[in-house]
Amino acid sequence: MLARWVSRPFPEGARTGPARREWLEEACGRDRSGNREPAARDPQGAGQGGRRRCRHRAGRRPLRPRPLLARHRQCDAGNRGPVRHRLSGRCPHPCDLPDAGRARGAGPPAARRGRSGMTGALDLAPRAEAPDRELWAQVCETARTHAAAVDQEGRYPAEAVAALKASGALGCAVPPALGGAGTGMATLARMACELGAACASTAMVFAMHHNQLACLVRHAGDNAWLRDFTAAVAAQGLLLASVTSEEGIGGRLRTSRCAVEPAGEGRFRLEKQGSTVSYGAEADAFLLTARKDAEADASDQVLVVLPRAGATVEPYRGWNALGLRGTGSGGFRISGTGDRAQVLDVPFGEIAQQTMVPNAHILWGAVWLGIATDVLARCRAFLRTRMRSGSSAAERGLPTLARMHGHLQDMEAALARAITVYDGQRADPGALEAILLKTRLSDTALTVADMGMRLCGFTAYSNEGPYSLSRHLRDLYAAPLMINNDAILADAGRLLLVNRTAFGAFDAEQDLP
């Protein structure tokens, strides 16, 4: 009706009287008896999709669809100009709104699914440092496709790691001078987060490998052998494994029983019984900690590179764990010989403080953030489904969903600060924030998974279905155990006792020793 009214010119002779009434009835689609006629749609009077123009402003653009108006929090705003006439009918239900991420996303569905859903706190580095976006999305999709089988069978994620090698992701952090892309920590963390949302085992393999690679890149110096080996990592996609654990040392990183022993001129011999060596059966090379020599103290350590070609690797304990079942973190006896150039000149204490520990905490934390992000995504989809079906019980889960999102934002902010400090090489290994980063991220991620399990109930408790959180929860239970949180917190407590920083007026009045 309104479309005809504004599109039809007002006849000159129908300003008043019966002629005006007759014109109005015809324009409104009524016959003389008052019955409405089926009005044909006026192509000039109706906007796109049949939306009609305002009767007062024929030149206005058509109103937006109601869901778009609600998304922009303008229930009666037009495409331009101030508030206009109200839309009739109910306001759209939140579940009727189009997914914002899907509306903005570019590229194929696989590329969109590969994104982590982060708010952008970790996007601190140029995209050019990372593998091609579509190629990386395919890597994440491969990891996601095989994640359930990797978990159920407790096997190595061979397909996903092969995709990592083919994409160049295992060597992307190598400097351009040695054949890599020079990928920075922010981009690596983003990649680890996206892999974590797809498959935690694959993401942890990626994170542990890049942790070892960072030690080489930062501390190889002018050692020709180490530089050539680092270039080979970039060219061939060699997979590096860490062997810092050892039987009989109680999980202490800065303690070793084995030692580097001489084996002829310019050669060495090393044998170590690693209690927990992730993907030891698949690694192309190992980075082992050992005492500098047979006479050195347990804390006088060096880092040794031992390629698999020059090593003997014997498993002595398997890996059938609650979570992270694809990492294959069993016990291995590793022995071999090599050139003295394979031993880094920098003491391991410096490597651990400056690179290994902060790098591990950041990349592990990014993996945990990715797992927690996928938990949030599944919980949101669960609530949307329940609300579409009219379930009133779903409303009670909305505050929990908001709290979960807040926890994820806190994790992102903590990671972003840690990355800025790490990239600026301003890290103080004794600072409380650096020490507590790992405990905060691991505890928070586990809290998010627990909240998701309670929110979705037995639907999440099940090992099957699109809303299952069983694997996520089991994978995250490993987070507080990787370098046990209680040991880290005990170190932080000792640091607080000797810290001379005053906490409030009462503390300022105390006489510190």
Side-chain angles (χ1 to χ4, degrees):
M1 178 184 74
L2 296 181
R4 293 189 174 189
W5 196 347
V6 298
S7 62
R8 175 174 296 196
F10 197 81
E12 189 66 24
R15 298 283 182 183
T16 58
R20 175 183 176 87
R21 179 180 180 84
E22 181 179 351
W23 180 87
L24 287 175
E25 289 176 346
E26 182 180 358
C28 294
R30 296 179 184 273
D31 58 19
R32 297 283 180 174
S33 63
N35 297 324
R36 180 179 296 276
E37 299 174 355
R41 189 178 301 275
D42 187 347
Q44 296 182 357
Q48 182 180 1
R51 295 186 299 275
R52 295 173 176 174
R53 298 180 181 177
C54 172
R55 62 180 179 178
H56 296 296
R57 298 285 183 89
R60 288 281 190 180
R61 295 177 182 173
L63 290 174
R64 297 178 181 180
R66 201 173 301 150
L68 292 179
L69 296 175
R71 188 204 299 171
H72 291 285
R73 300 177 183 176
Q74 300 172 5
C75 294
D76 47 14
N79 278 348
R80 63 184 183 186
V83 173
R84 300 168 64 180
H85 295 282
R86 287 197 172 273
L87 297 172
S88 60
R90 67 176 182 88
C91 291
H93 195 276
C95 289
D96 295 333
L97 300 180
D99 182 71
R102 190 182 308 116
R104 293 191 302 268
R112 293 196 298 269
R113 287 195 297 268
R115 293 176 184 171
S116 64
M118 298 182 297
T119 60
L122 299 185
D123 270 347
L124 304 179
R127 295 278 180 167
E129 294 181 356
D132 176 76
R133 186 71 217 180
E134 291 188 6
L135 182 60
W136 180 247
Q138 294 174 10
V139 173
C140 293
E141 189 64 23
T142 300
R144 180 178 292 104
T145 300
H146 298 279
V150 167
D151 178 68
Q152 292 170 6
E153 301 169 16
R155 65 172 178 84
Y156 177 71
E159 301 86 354
V161 176
L164 286 172
K165 289 187 177 184
S167 68
L170 294 184
C172 63
V174 174
L178 298 178
T183 302
M185 176 55 75
T187 303
L188 289 176
R190 176 174 56 81
M191 295 165 70
C193 182
E194 292 175 354
L195 271 180
C199 174
S201 293
T202 303
M204 198 54 70
V205 170
F206 175 85
M208 292 178 176
H209 162 84
H210 274 286
N211 180 245
Q212 301 306 298
L213 183 56
C215 296
L216 285 178
V217 169
R218 281 189 157 198
H219 302 284
D222 297 328
N223 187 315
W225 191 96
L226 292 176
R227 289 176 62 84
D228 290 344
F229 178 78
T230 305
V233 172
Q236 304 173 30
L238 301 180
L239 182 62
L240 309 180
S242 171
V243 191
T244 56
S245 63
E246 190 173 5
E247 294 289 351
I249 64 172
R252 293 188 293 273
L253 177 68
R254 293 287 289 107
T255 301
S256 288
R257 297 179 62 185
C258 65
V260 176
E261 301 178 355
E265 186 175 357
R267 304 282 295 176
F268 74 88
R269 179 175 60 253
L270 177 62
E271 182 175 350
K272 184 169 186 176
Q273 191 169 351
S275 57
T276 307
V277 182
S278 295
Y279 52 94
E282 308 292 340
D284 298 310
F286 303 89
L287 273 71
L288 307 89
T289 52
R291 289 182 294 152
K292 183 173 61 176
D293 53 55
E295 305 299 326
D297 293 336
S299 60
D300 189 4
Q301 299 166 287
V302 291
L303 189 62
V304 182
V305 180
L306 195 60
R308 194 179 196 91
T312 300
V313 182
E314 301 176 356
Y316 69 90
R317 184 171 57 239
W319 177 255
N320 186 12
L322 178 69
L324 295 181
R325 293 172 52 77
T327 59
S329 304
F332 290 84
R333 294 185 184 89
I334 302 174
S335 60
T337 61
D339 193 282
R340 289 290 305 185
Q342 296 171 221
V343 182
L344 277 71
D345 295 330
V346 180
F348 177 69
E350 294 183 23
I351 297 174
Q353 288 184 348
Q354 298 174 12
T355 303
M356 183 176 284
V357 172
N359 181 290
H361 289 182
I362 291 172
L363 292 181
W364 293 355
V367 173
W368 301 329
L369 173 61
I371 301 172
T373 299
D374 196 55
V375 169
L376 178 67
R378 295 185 183 221
C379 290
R380 184 174 68 168
F382 172 82
L383 287 182
R384 282 175 169 172
T385 302
R386 292 298 184 270
M387 295 182 76
R388 287 192 186 102
S389 64
S391 173
S392 59
E395 295 281 350
R396 296 196 293 269
L398 297 179
T400 301
L401 189 72
R403 293 189 188 99
M404 292 168 65
H405 183 259
H407 287 316
L408 261 63
Q409 289 182 315
D410 292 342
M411 293 180 67
E412 287 187 32
L415 275 174
R417 288 194 301 270
I419 290 169
T420 301
V421 171
Y422 179 86
D423 282 342
Q425 297 187 359
R426 295 180 283 107
D428 177 6
L432 272 175
E433 186 173 7
I435 292 176
L436 295 177
L437 175 68
K438 188 263 176 182
T439 62
R440 290 174 57 193
L441 295 178
S442 59
D443 287 342
T444 304
L446 187 55
T447 298
V448 170
D450 182 69
M451 293 171 69
M453 185 70 72
R454 294 171 184 269
L455 188 153
C456 299
F458 277 102
T459 305
Y461 191 73
S462 172
N463 283 323
E464 299 176 349
Y467 310 121
S468 172
L469 299 179
S470 170
R471 172 165 52 89
H472 302 69
L473 188 65
R474 289 186 285 104
D475 288 340
L476 284 172
Y477 264 114
L481 307 179
M482 299 169 62
I483 308 179
N484 194 285
N485 278 6
D486 287 342
I488 296 176
L489 291 172
D491 291 340
R494 282 189 286 269
L495 182 61
L496 276 172
L497 289 180
V498 300
N499 196 315
R500 301 187 67 86
T501 302
F503 299 105
F506 175 82
D507 201 10
E509 297 174 356
Q510 305 303 306
D511 293 330
L512 297 178

